[in-house]
Amino acid sequence: MSLVGIIILILSLLGLVVAYFYSRQVLAVAKYPKDASEKEKSKLSEIHQAILEGSMAFLAQEYKYMALFTIFFAIFIGLLLNNPSHGFNDGIYTSVAFIAGCSISVLSGFIGMKIATAGNVRTTASAKTSLAAAFKTALHSGAVMGFGLVGLSSLGLYLVYLLTAKLVPAGVDSSTIMEIVAGFGLGGSAIALFARVGGGIYTKAADVGADLVGKVEKGIPEDDPRNPAVIADNVGDNVGDVAGMGADLFGSSAESTCAALVIGAIAFPGNLGAGLYPILITALGIPVSLIAMFFIKVKKEEDVGSVLKRLLIISTFLGAVAVYFASIWLIPAQYELGGQVFTGEGVYICYLSGLLAGLFIGLITEYFTSHKYKPVKDLSKSCETGAATNIIFGMALGFKSSGWTILAIAVSVFIPFYIGGMYGVAISALGMLGTLVITLTIDAYGPVSDNAGGIAQMAGLDSEIRDRTDVLDAAGNTTAAIGKGLAIGSAILTSLALFSAFLTRAEDISINNPSMLNFSLDNINLLDPFVLGGLFLGSTLPFLFSAMTMKSVGKAAFDMIEEVRRQMKEKPGIMAGTDKPDYGRCVSISTKAALREMILPGVLIIGSPLAIGFLFGIKALAGVLMGSLLVSAGLAVTQTNAGGAWDNAKKYIEKGFLGGKGSDAHKAAVIGDTVGDPFKDTSGPSLNILMKLSAILSLVFVPFFAKYGGILVKFLE
Amino acid sequence: MSLVGIIILILSLLGLVVAYFYSRQVLAVAKYPKDASEKEKSKLSEIHQAILEGSMAFLAQEYKYMALFTIFFAIFIGLLLNNPSHGFNDGIYTSVAFIAGCSISVLSGFIGMKIATAGNVRTTASAKTSLAAAFKTALHSGAVMGFGLVGLSSLGLYLVYLLTAKLVPAGVDSSTIMEIVAGFGLGGSAIALFARVGGGIYTKAADVGADLVGKVEKGIPEDDPRNPAVIADNVGDNVGDVAGMGADLFGSSAESTCAALVIGAIAFPGNLGAGLYPILITALGIPVSLIAMFFIKVKKEEDVGSVLKRLLIISTFLGAVAVYFASIWLIPAQYELGGQVFTGEGVYICYLSGLLAGLFIGLITEYFTSHKYKPVKDLSKSCETGAATNIIFGMALGFKSSGWTILAIAVSVFIPFYIGGMYGVAISALGMLGTLVITLTIDAYGPVSDNAGGIAQMAGLDSEIRDRTDVLDAAGNTTAAIGKGLAIGSAILTSLALFSAFLTRAEDISINNPSMLNFSLDNINLLDPFVLGGLFLGSTLPFLFSAMTMKSVGKAAFDMIEEVRRQMKEKPGIMAGTDKPDYGRCVSISTKAALREMILPGVLIIGSPLAIGFLFGIKALAGVLMGSLLVSAGLAVTQTNAGGAWDNAKKYIEKGFLGGKGSDAHKAAVIGDTVGDPFKDTSGPSLNILMKLSAILSLVFVPFFAKYGGILVKFLE
C-alpha cells in the first residue's frame, strides 16, 4: 500500500473515531432538563418518541424503495457495461462500486438522522442549564454528521479503488479502473435523488399543510401540539435538512472526487500518488476541522453566530495550508492533458479558486437572504402593499441574486479551465467542498436546534428554554443560507467536472477504439446541429423538473390539509386540548406522498441522459448536459434565495417591524413564505441532483454509449 | 433593377396601399353610436381625447429619448466601424442603415398607435349597430398595422440594400454590403428596446397601480372613470400591445431577414436572386394575407374566435404555397456553406419547419393559458386554498409550459441546422414569421377591442355595447396568446440566425484578413475556457435583466399608487362622482417612470455584448450570446405563460366558477393576476429584446471586434 493510501486510511478512520467520540458526548447529556417534573418528562418523552418514530418510519419506507432501486439498477449497470474485450466484466465491478456508494450514503444518512433525533431533545434539556451547554450539544450532534460522513466517504472511495485495482486482471489501464470507481459516485448521487427530492417533498408537504390549516385557518401558533401535522413537520426538518442536505453534499464530494480521479488517471498515467490526490484532499478536511473545533467557545448570546462563522473561516484557512503541501508533494511540476501543458502550481491555484468562490457565494447568499441587509428589508417593505408586490419583489430579488451568484461561478469556471484544464475544474470543485466537514456540521446543527425549540414549545417548557433555542436557531439560519449557496455552487462545479470527465473519457475510448467510436473533444462545437439541438433540449429539463417537484408539493400539501381538517372536524376535542391528534397518520401521508411523487422526476433525471446518449450519441448528450446545467444553475439559485428571502422577510416582520405579527403586511409575508417553501426546500435544491446525477450517469455509461450510442444518428446518416 | 427587386417593390407598395385603404375604411366609421345623446357624445369624446392625448404624450416623450439615442448611437457606429482599408467608410453607411431602421420602426409604431386610438372609439360606436360591424372596425384597425408594418419593413430593407449596392465603390464584396444592410435590423431592434421595455413598464405600472388602489382598496370595478389611473391604464394597452408588440415583431422580421441576407451573401456569392430571396418571402406575406382577409366573415357571436383562427390557417397555407414557388425560382439546387453541401429543397423544408413550429408553439401556448383546458382549470381550483397555492401552481404551470415550448424549439433548431446549415436557421426564423401580417393584425385588434370596451364602460353606454366588445376582446385574448408564443419563438430563432450570421461573418473576415483575426467556426468548442466562461456569464444576463424590469414595474407602480391615493384623499368628490380626477398626472407618472426605468436595462443589453467582445473577443462573446439565449428562452416562456394563465384563471372565476367574484378564491386569483402582470407584459417579452438586440449588435460590430476585440485576452497570452 502506498504512503498516500496509508495517510488516507488513517485520516478516514480518524474521522470515524471523532464522530464516535462526539456521539458519545451527545448521548451522555441527560434527556430531560434538570428539575423537570414527571409530567414534563413524560410529555417530552412522548414528543421525542413521536419525532424519532416518524423519522425512522420514513427512513424504513424509503429504504425499501432504495433497496429495490439499488438492486435493479445494479443489475442494469452490470448488463449494460459488460465489455468482453477487457477480459473481465466491467459492469459487475461498476455495479459493486455503485452498491458501495449507495450503502455508504445510506449509512451516513442513517447516522445523521439517529444523532439528530437523539440530539434534539438533549439540546432542549441542556438549554435549561445554559446557552453554552445547549450550543455544545447541538453542535456536537452536527459534528457527528460532518466527521462521520466525510470519513466514510473517503474511506469508501479508497477501499473501492484499492479492491478494484487488486481484482482487475493485470494490464487494465488506470483510467478504466477509475471509471469503475466512478460507480461509487453514481451510487451516492442516486441515493441523493431519494433524499433530496423525496425528502424535499416530504418536508414541504408537512410544512405547507401544517401552516395552511394551523396558522391560517385555525390561528394557532407554529409547533402547537394540537396540530396533527406538527410531528410530521418536525420530522420533515430532519428528513430534509439532515438526510437530504447530507446526501446531496456526500454526492457532490464523491462525484467531484470521482471526476478528478478519472481525469487524473489520463493526466498522470502511472503516477499513483497524483492519482490519489483527490481522495487525500477530501480526507485532509478531517484533521483540519478537528483543529478548528478546538478553537471555538461560546460564552454569550452574541457569540453563537460569530463562532459558527469563525469555524468556517479557520477551517478554510487551515485547509488551504494543508492542501498546499499535499499539492507540492504529489502533483508533478508539469502535466499534459488534451494536447495542452499545465503546471502543478496551477492545480493548487484551482483548489484555492474553488475554496474562495465557495466563500464568496456564501457571502452573496447571506447578503440577499438575511434581514440584516437591504434586499430583504426592501422585500419586507413591499409586503405593505400586499402579497402581490411581495411576490413580485421576491422574484426580482431571486433573479438578481442568481445573476450575481452565477457571475461568481462564471469566474470560478473560467479560472480553473484556463489554468488547469479539465483537471483544474475537478480540483476547483473539490476546493469548493474544502470546508465540507464544517459545512455539514453546521447544516445538521440547524435542524437539531430547530427541533429543540419545537420540542420545548410542544412540551410547554419554560419560555427561557425556548428563548435560548431560538438564539441557536437564528444563528443556524444564517449559516444554513451559506451552506445552501455552497451546495448549489459545488453542484455546478461538480457537474462541470463530471461533464469534463465524461468527454475526456469518451475521447480516450475513441482513441483506443476508433472503430467503435469516432469522437474527439474538438467535435463539441456550438454550431453542430446535435450539440445545439442538445443545448435547447437540455434547457427544458430543469423547467420540467421544477414543474414536477413544485406541483408534487402542492398535491401532497393538499392531502395533508384534508387530513388535518378531517381530524379537527371529527375530533373537536383536539382544539380544546382534551383529545389527542393522530400524528402518525400525518407522518404516513407525507411519507407516502414523498415516495409516490418522486417517481416521475426520478424517471426524468435518470431516463433523459440514458435515452439521449443511446438515441443521439455523445455529442447530443454533451449539449443536453450543458444546456441543463446552465439553466439549472440559475434557476436553483433563484428559487433557493427567493425562498430564503421570503422566509426572513416574514421573520423580520414578526420581530415587530412594519406592523408586526397579525398586520396586513404580515399576512402578505406569510403568503410569500409559503410560496418560498417548495422553492427553497424542494424544487431549488432538487436541481442540484438533476445537474449532478445526469452528468455522472453520462460518465459511468460512456462505455455503453461508445458501443451502442447514437442509433438514430446512424440511421439518419 | 432585377425582377426580384421589382416584385419586392410592387408587393411592398401593395402593402402600403392596402394599409391606407383599411385606414380610410376605419376613419369612415362614425365616432359616436347612432342615436347617441349629446351628453353621451361629449363624454365619449372626452374619454377618447384623453386616451389619444395620453398616448401621444407618451410617444412624444419617448421620441425625444429615441432621437437622442439614435443620433448618439449612429455617431458611435460611424466611428467604430470605420475601415479605411475598404476605401470607404463602412461605419457611415452602417449608421445610415441604422437610422433608416430606427425611422421605419418608429413610423410603423406611430401609424399603429394613430389607428388604434382612432379605431377604439369607432369600434365602440359600431358595436351599437352590430357585432359584425364592430368586429370589422377593430379588425381593419389591426390590418392597418399588419399590412403597413410589413410593407414598410420590406420596402425599407430593399431600398437600403439598393442604395448601399449603388453607392459603395466597385469591387466591395456582397457580404460586406449585407453587413451594412444589417444596420437596418439593428435600428429596428434598438427601437424595440424602447417600445418593449419602456412600453412594458408603462403599461404595467399603470395597470398594477390602477388595480391595487381601485379594485383592492376602493372596491370599484375595472375601467371605472373615478379611478385617476384609468386613462393611463387604457393608454398602456396601446403602448404595450400595439407599439411594443409591433416594434418587437418588426425587429424580429428585419433582423432575421438581415441574418439571412448576410449568410446568403456568403452561401450564394454573385447570385443576386438568391441573395434577395429573404426579403421576397417576407413581402410575399402581403398578397397572401390580403387574399385570406377576403375569405372571412363574421355573422354570429361564435364566429369571432374561429374567424381569427381561420385567418391564421388560411394565410399559413397560402404562404407555404407561395414560398414554395419562390424557392424553386431563386434558390440554386445545391450550395456550399462552411465546407458542407446543402440542397435548395432543404431551404424550403427549413421554411416549412419554422412555419409549422410557429403554429405548434401557438397551440402549446393556448393549451397552457386558456381556461378551456385542464392546466388553467387546475390553477383556478388551487385558488380555493389561497394565494400561496395559486402562485405555486402558476409557477409550476409556467415551468411546464416552458419545457414543452422549448422542446418544440429544440426540434425546430435541429431540423434546419441539420438540413440547411446556418442559412437554414435564418430561413426557418423567417418561416416562423410567415404569418406576420395576420399575427400583427390580430395583435393590434386586441387592444382596440379592449379599449373599446373600456370606453363604453367609462362613458356609461348601454350594456349591450359592452357585451359585444367583450366578445371581441375574449376572442382576441386567445389569439393574442398565440401571438405572444410566436413572438418569443421567432425571437429565439431570429437570435440564433443572427448568432450564426455573426460567427459566419467573423470567419469570413478572418479568412480574408488572417493577420487581423484568427477565428474559425471550429473554435467555439464547449470546453474552451472562453466559450464555457462565456456561457455561464451569458446565463446571468436574463436573470439580471428580469430582476431589473420586475423591480421597475414595482417601483413605478408604487409611484402610481401614491398618486392615486393622494388624489382620492385631496378630492373626496372623486369617489362620489362630483369631482373629476386628474388623469393627466397619472399618464405623466407612467411616462416618466417608463423612460427612467428603462435606462439601466438598456445599458445592460447594449453594453454587455460590446464590452465582452471588446475585452474578451469573439469566442467569449459567442459563449455569452448562447448562454443568454438558452436561459432567456425558457425564462421568457415561463413568465409569459404563467402570467397568461393567472389572468385567465381569474377570468374563469369571474365567470362564476368556484365561488365567482368576491369569493376568497377570487381574491387569491387577483393576487396571481397582479403578479402575472409584469411577468407577461414586461419582463417576459422584454427578454425577446435581450436575445435579439445583443445578437444583432454582435453581428454589426464584427468588424470592430475583428480589429480591436479581445484586448484582455491578448494581454493574458
Side-chain angles (χ1 to χ4, degrees):
Chain A
M1 202 186 287
S2 66
L3 178 58
V4 191
I6 294 172
I7 297 178
I8 292 174
L9 270 186
I10 293 175
L11 293 181
S12 310
L13 293 173
L14 172 68
L16 299 182
V17 170
V18 172
Y20 177 74
F21 167 80
Y22 280 128
S23 76
R24 298 297 311 170
Q25 283 216 323
V26 171
L27 294 174
V29 173
K31 268 171 78 176
Y32 308 112
K34 55 180 186 198
D35 319 323
S37 68
E38 275 315 309
K39 203 182 145 216
E40 281 175 340
K41 278 187 188 173
S42 90
K43 188 85 190 156
L44 268 176
S45 166
E46 185 194 314
I47 294 160
H48 168 240
Q49 208 57 32
I51 295 177
L52 179 65
E53 279 166 16
S55 302
M56 290 304 141
F58 174 72
L59 284 186
Q61 280 287 334
E62 200 184 42
Y63 287 167
K64 268 191 221 155
Y65 281 76
M66 282 180 184
L68 271 175
F69 169 82
T70 305
I71 292 166
F72 167 78
F73 208 74
I75 294 171
F76 184 73
I77 293 171
L79 292 176
L80 253 55
L81 294 181
N82 182 14
N83 186 356
S85 75
H86 278 171
F88 71 104
N89 189 332
D90 307 40
I92 292 181
Y93 282 79
T94 310
S95 65
V96 171
F98 169 76
I99 293 174
C102 291
S103 313
I104 290 195
S105 177
V106 165
L107 183 60
S108 310
F110 183 77
I111 293 173
M113 289 287 276
K114 267 283 180 198
I115 192 73
T117 47
N120 53 10
V121 68
R122 291 177 170 83
T123 303
T124 315
S126 42
K128 175 83 187 175
T129 317
S130 73
L131 183 70
F135 175 76
K136 214 170 123 184
T137 311
L139 190 71
H140 288 178
S141 308
V144 175
M145 177 87 167
F147 285 92
L149 189 146
V150 174
L152 279 173
S153 165
S154 44
L155 184 69
L157 260 170
Y158 182 64
L159 290 181
V160 167
Y161 160 76
L162 209 64
L163 281 174
T164 312
K166 280 255 185 300
L167 294 176
V168 294
V172 168
D173 60 351
S174 60
S175 58
T176 304
I177 294 176
M178 291 309 186
E179 165 111 23
I180 289 169
V181 174
F184 185 87
L186 177 59
S189 200
I191 296 306
L193 169 69
F194 286 83
R196 247 313 184 205
V197 181
I201 295 169
Y202 183 104
T203 174
K204 290 303 122 171
D207 192 4
V208 173
D211 281 0
L212 283 182
V213 185
K215 280 201 226 171
V216 179
E217 289 183 12
K218 298 286 171 186
I220 56 178
E222 186 137 8
D223 289 328
D224 191 297
R226 288 171 296 177
N227 192 330
V230 71
I231 295 292
D233 189 8
N234 274 279
V235 169
D237 288 343
N238 295 321
V239 165
D241 291 347
V242 179
M245 181 66 116
D248 189 353
L249 286 170
F250 175 83
S252 283
S253 170
E255 285 162 296
S256 48
T257 311
C258 288
L261 290 174
V262 170
I263 305 174
I266 294 163
F268 316 110
N271 183 340
L272 183 63
L276 292 177
Y277 171 79
I279 308 185
L280 178 66
I281 58 181
T282 302
L284 276 176
I286 292 168
V288 155
S289 309
L290 188 59
I291 297 173
M293 290 286 281
F294 289 135
F295 268 104
I296 53 142
K297 200 173 271 176
V298 158
K299 280 185 181 157
K300 296 190 305 287
E301 194 178 298
E302 304 83 68
D303 287 352
V304 179
S306 66
V307 152
L308 291 176
K309 269 200 200 162
R310 208 152 5 116
L311 253 183
L312 265 178
I313 291 165
I314 296 172
S315 63
T316 300
F317 177 77
L318 292 177
V321 174
V323 172
Y324 176 72
F325 289 107
S327 311
I328 291 184
W329 177 34
L330 295 174
I331 301 290
Q334 283 203 327
Y335 64 96
E336 208 198 300
L337 188 63
Q340 274 186 283
V341 175
F342 300 100
T343 69
E345 283 164 21
V347 170
Y348 180 64
I349 296 177
C350 296
Y351 179 86
L352 269 191
S353 139
L355 194 65
L356 289 177
L359 264 188
F360 197 61
I361 291 171
L363 293 178
I364 298 176
T365 311
E366 194 192 351
Y367 175 72
F368 279 105
T369 59
S370 158
H371 52 55
K372 270 188 293 183
Y373 305 101
K374 194 168 175 290
V376 174
K377 282 192 179 150
D378 283 357
L379 182 64
S380 312
K381 181 109 185 79
S382 78
C383 292
E384 290 189 314
T385 36
T389 39
N390 184 26
I391 304 286
I392 292 174
F393 274 67
M395 288 303 301
L397 181 150
F399 286 145
K400 190 169 177 185
S401 71
S402 173
W404 287 106
T405 306
I406 307 298
L407 209 61
I409 297 272
V411 175
S412 73
V413 162
F414 176 77
I415 291 176
F417 247 104
Y418 193 74
I419 293 178
M422 288 182 274
Y423 189 65
V425 172
I427 296 302
S428 172
L430 287 173
M432 198 172 272
L433 291 165
T435 55
L436 183 59
V437 178
I438 297 300
T439 309
L440 279 168
T441 301
I442 296 173
D443 275 331
Y445 154 97
V448 171
S449 314
D450 193 2
N451 261 226
I455 292 172
Q457 174 92 17
M458 286 185 269
L461 302 183
D462 290 359
S463 66
E464 185 193 32
I465 293 183
R466 176 82 209 208
D467 290 345
R468 282 180 181 156
T469 58
D470 277 352
V471 171
L472 298 185
D473 193 21
N477 277 340
T478 308
T479 34
I482 299 179
K484 264 183 198 164
L486 207 69
I488 297 177
S490 78
I492 298 169
L493 283 187
T494 300
S495 310
L496 210 53
L498 292 166
F499 177 78
S500 310
F502 154 60
L503 294 173
T504 308
R505 182 73 186 130
E507 190 183 56
D508 195 42
I509 291 180
S510 177
I511 289 168
N512 296 322
N513 310 276
S515 64
M516 192 162 83
L517 178 66
N518 179 16
F519 175 81
S520 137
L521 291 179
D522 297 334
N523 288 161
I524 42 170
N525 193 285
L526 271 190
L527 287 175
D528 181 280
F530 289 96
V531 174
L532 193 58
L535 283 170
F536 278 93
L537 183 58
S539 82
T540 67
L541 295 178
F543 288 108
L544 292 173
F545 186 71
S546 287
M548 286 178 185
T549 46
M550 299 268 299
K551 192 97 191 239
S552 294
V553 170
K555 274 159 67 180
F558 268 145
D559 294 352
M560 187 63 81
I561 289 170
E562 273 178 27
E563 171 64 20
V564 174
R565 282 185 184 155
R566 190 192 62 77
Q567 288 198 24
M568 297 259 188
K569 201 173 155 195
E570 286 178 10
K571 296 187 192 171
I574 293 178
M575 276 302 285
T578 55
D579 207 343
K580 261 185 59 177
D582 184 351
Y583 300 130
R585 284 199 58 143
C586 289
V587 168
S588 102
I589 280 175
S590 248
T591 303
K592 273 187 202 143
L595 295 168
R596 181 188 70 222
E597 294 290 335
M598 65 158 290
I599 293 172
L600 213 58
V603 169
L604 181 76
I605 292 192
I606 294 175
S608 308
L610 295 180
I612 286 155
F614 180 58
L615 295 176
F616 301 103
I618 284 177
K619 277 197 293 184
L621 182 52
V624 166
L625 291 179
M626 183 53 73
S628 167
L629 175 58
L630 280 173
V631 175
S632 298
L635 222 50
V637 181
T638 302
Q639 297 186 10
T640 315
N641 287 359
W646 276 317
D647 187 3
N648 281 323
K650 187 197 68 175
K651 286 186 177 145
Y652 181 72
I653 292 178
E654 286 177 352
K655 282 185 159 191
F657 297 98
L658 303 163
K661 268 195 182 178
S663 63
D664 281 346
H666 183 243
K667 277 178 200 142
V670 167
I671 290 176
D673 181 41
T674 312
V675 172
D677 271 339
F679 261 38
K680 74 178 196 299
D681 291 317
T682 314
S683 57
S686 292
L687 288 170
N688 293 356
I689 311 298
L690 172 65
M691 306 179 214
K692 291 185 293 182
L693 187 49
S694 48
I696 195 155
L697 274 168
S698 307
L699 169 60
V700 170
F701 281 86
V702 166
F704 169 70
F705 300 139
K707 261 199 293 185
Y708 305 107
I711 51 156
L712 264 190
V713 183
K714 285 171 192 155
F715 174 78
L716 274 173
E717 271 158 3
Chain B
M1 202 187 287
S2 66
L3 180 59
V4 192
I6 295 172
I7 297 178
I8 292 173
L9 270 187
I10 294 176
L11 293 181
S12 308
L13 293 173
L14 173 67
L16 298 183
V17 170
V18 172
Y20 178 74
F21 167 80
Y22 280 129
S23 77
R24 299 297 313 170
Q25 283 216 325
V26 171
L27 294 174
V29 174
K31 267 173 75 177
Y32 307 113
K34 54 178 190 207
D35 319 326
S37 68
E38 277 314 309
K39 203 183 145 213
E40 279 174 342
K41 278 186 189 171
S42 89
K43 188 87 190 153
L44 269 177
S45 167
E46 183 194 315
I47 293 161
H48 169 240
Q49 211 54 34
I51 295 177
L52 180 64
E53 279 165 19
S55 303
M56 291 302 142
F58 174 71
L59 284 187
Q61 280 287 334
E62 199 184 41
Y63 288 164
K64 269 191 224 156
Y65 281 75
M66 280 180 185
L68 272 175
F69 169 81
T70 304
I71 293 167
F72 167 79
F73 208 73
I75 295 171
F76 184 72
I77 293 171
L79 291 176
L80 254 54
L81 294 182
N82 182 16
N83 186 357
S85 74
H86 278 171
F88 72 104
N89 189 330
D90 309 39
I92 292 181
Y93 282 79
T94 310
S95 66
V96 172
F98 169 75
I99 293 173
C102 290
S103 312
I104 291 195
S105 176
V106 165
L107 184 61
S108 311
F110 184 75
I111 294 173
M113 289 286 277
K114 266 284 181 201
I115 193 72
T117 48
N120 54 9
V121 69
R122 290 175 170 84
T123 302
T124 315
S126 44
K128 175 81 187 178
T129 316
S130 72
L131 183 70
F135 176 74
K136 218 170 116 186
T137 311
L139 190 71
H140 288 179
S141 308
V144 175
M145 177 87 167
F147 286 93
L149 189 145
V150 174
L152 279 173
S153 165
S154 44
L155 184 67
L157 260 172
Y158 182 63
L159 290 182
V160 167
Y161 161 75
L162 208 64
L163 282 173
T164 312
K166 280 258 187 292
L167 294 176
V168 295
V172 169
D173 61 350
S174 59
S175 58
T176 303
I177 294 177
M178 291 310 188
E179 165 112 22
I180 289 170
V181 174
F184 185 87
L186 178 58
S189 200
I191 296 306
L193 169 68
F194 285 84
R196 245 316 181 205
V197 181
I201 296 169
Y202 183 105
T203 174
K204 291 302 121 174
D207 192 5
V208 173
D211 282 3
L212 282 182
V213 185
K215 281 202 228 171
V216 179
E217 288 183 11
K218 298 286 171 185
I220 56 178
E222 187 138 6
D223 289 328
D224 191 296
R226 288 172 293 176
N227 193 330
V230 73
I231 295 292
D233 189 8
N234 274 278
V235 169
D237 288 344
N238 294 322
V239 165
D241 292 348
V242 179
M245 181 66 116
D248 188 355
L249 286 170
F250 174 83
S252 284
S253 170
E255 285 161 296
S256 48
T257 311
C258 288
L261 290 173
V262 171
I263 305 173
I266 293 162
F268 316 110
N271 182 339
L272 183 63
L276 291 177
Y277 170 80
I279 308 185
L280 178 66
I281 58 180
T282 301
L284 275 175
I286 292 168
V288 155
S289 309
L290 188 59
I291 298 173
M293 290 288 281
F294 289 135
F295 266 105
I296 53 143
K297 199 173 271 176
V298 158
K299 279 184 181 157
K300 297 189 304 289
E301 192 179 299
E302 304 84 67
D303 288 350
V304 180
S306 66
V307 153
L308 291 176
K309 265 199 202 162
R310 209 153 3 115
L311 253 181
L312 266 179
I313 290 165
I314 295 172
S315 63
T316 300
F317 178 75
L318 292 176
V321 174
V323 172
Y324 176 71
F325 289 106
S327 311
I328 290 183
W329 178 33
L330 295 173
I331 299 292
Q334 281 202 330
Y335 64 97
E336 208 197 300
L337 189 63
Q340 274 187 283
V341 176
F342 300 101
T343 69
E345 285 163 19
V347 171
Y348 179 65
I349 296 177
C350 295
Y351 179 86
L352 269 192
S353 139
L355 194 66
L356 290 178
L359 265 188
F360 197 63
I361 290 171
L363 293 178
I364 297 176
T365 311
E366 195 192 350
Y367 174 72
F368 279 104
T369 59
S370 158
H371 52 56
K372 272 189 294 187
Y373 305 102
K374 194 168 175 295
V376 175
K377 283 193 178 151
D378 282 359
L379 182 63
S380 312
K381 182 114 183 76
S382 78
C383 292
E384 289 188 315
T385 35
T389 40
N390 185 25
I391 302 286
I392 292 175
F393 274 68
M395 288 303 301
L397 182 151
F399 286 146
K400 190 170 177 184
S401 71
S402 174
W404 289 106
T405 305
I406 306 298
L407 208 62
I409 297 271
V411 176
S412 73
V413 162
F414 176 76
I415 291 176
F417 246 105
Y418 193 75
I419 293 178
M422 289 182 271
Y423 189 65
V425 173
I427 297 303
S428 171
L430 286 171
M432 198 171 273
L433 292 164
T435 55
L436 182 58
V437 178
I438 296 300
T439 309
L440 279 168
T441 301
I442 296 174
D443 274 331
Y445 154 97
V448 170
S449 315
D450 193 1
N451 261 227
I455 292 173
Q457 174 93 14
M458 285 184 268
L461 301 183
D462 291 358
S463 68
E464 187 193 30
I465 294 184
R466 175 83 211 209
D467 289 347
R468 283 179 182 155
T469 58
D470 276 354
V471 171
L472 298 185
D473 192 23
N477 276 341
T478 308
T479 35
I482 299 180
K484 263 183 200 163
L486 208 68
I488 297 177
S490 77
I492 297 169
L493 283 187
T494 300
S495 309
L496 211 52
L498 292 167
F499 177 77
S500 310
F502 154 61
L503 293 173
T504 308
R505 182 71 187 133
E507 189 183 55
D508 196 40
I509 291 180
S510 177
I511 289 167
N512 297 321
N513 310 277
S515 65
M516 194 162 81
L517 179 67
N518 179 17
F519 175 80
S520 137
L521 292 178
D522 297 334
N523 287 161
I524 42 169
N525 194 286
L526 273 189
L527 287 176
D528 182 279
F530 289 96
V531 174
L532 193 58
L535 283 169
F536 277 93
L537 183 57
S539 81
T540 66
L541 294 178
F543 288 107
L544 292 173
F545 187 71
S546 287
M548 286 178 185
T549 47
M550 300 267 301
K551 192 97 191 241
S552 294
V553 170
K555 274 159 67 182
F558 268 144
D559 294 351
M560 187 63 82
I561 290 171
E562 273 178 25
E563 171 62 23
V564 174
R565 283 186 184 154
R566 190 193 61 79
Q567 288 198 23
M568 296 253 184
K569 202 174 155 195
E570 286 177 10
K571 297 188 192 170
I574 292 178
M575 277 303 285
T578 55
D579 205 343
K580 260 186 60 178
D582 184 350
Y583 299 129
R585 285 198 59 141
C586 288
V587 168
S588 101
I589 280 174
S590 249
T591 304
K592 273 187 204 141
L595 295 168
R596 180 188 71 222
E597 294 291 335
M598 65 158 291
I599 293 173
L600 212 58
V603 169
L604 181 76
I605 291 192
I606 294 175
S608 308
L610 295 180
I612 286 155
F614 180 58
L615 295 175
F616 302 105
I618 285 178
K619 277 197 294 184
L621 181 52
V624 167
L625 290 178
M626 183 52 74
S628 167
L629 175 58
L630 280 172
V631 175
S632 297
L635 222 49
V637 181
T638 302
Q639 297 187 11
T640 315
N641 288 357
W646 276 318
D647 187 3
N648 281 323
K650 186 197 68 175
K651 286 185 177 144
Y652 181 73
I653 292 177
E654 284 176 353
K655 283 186 160 190
F657 297 98
L658 303 164
K661 269 194 182 179
S663 64
D664 281 346
H666 184 242
K667 277 178 201 143
V670 168
I671 290 177
D673 182 41
T674 311
V675 172
D677 271 338
F679 261 37
K680 76 177 195 299
D681 291 316
T682 314
S683 57
S686 292
L687 289 171
N688 294 355
I689 311 297
L690 172 66
M691 303 179 216
K692 292 186 292 182
L693 188 49
S694 49
I696 193 152
L697 274 168
S698 308
L699 169 60
V700 170
F701 281 84
V702 165
F704 169 71
F705 299 139
K707 261 198 293 184
Y708 306 107
I711 51 156
L712 262 191
V713 182
K714 284 170 193 156
F715 174 78
L716 273 174
E717 271 159 3

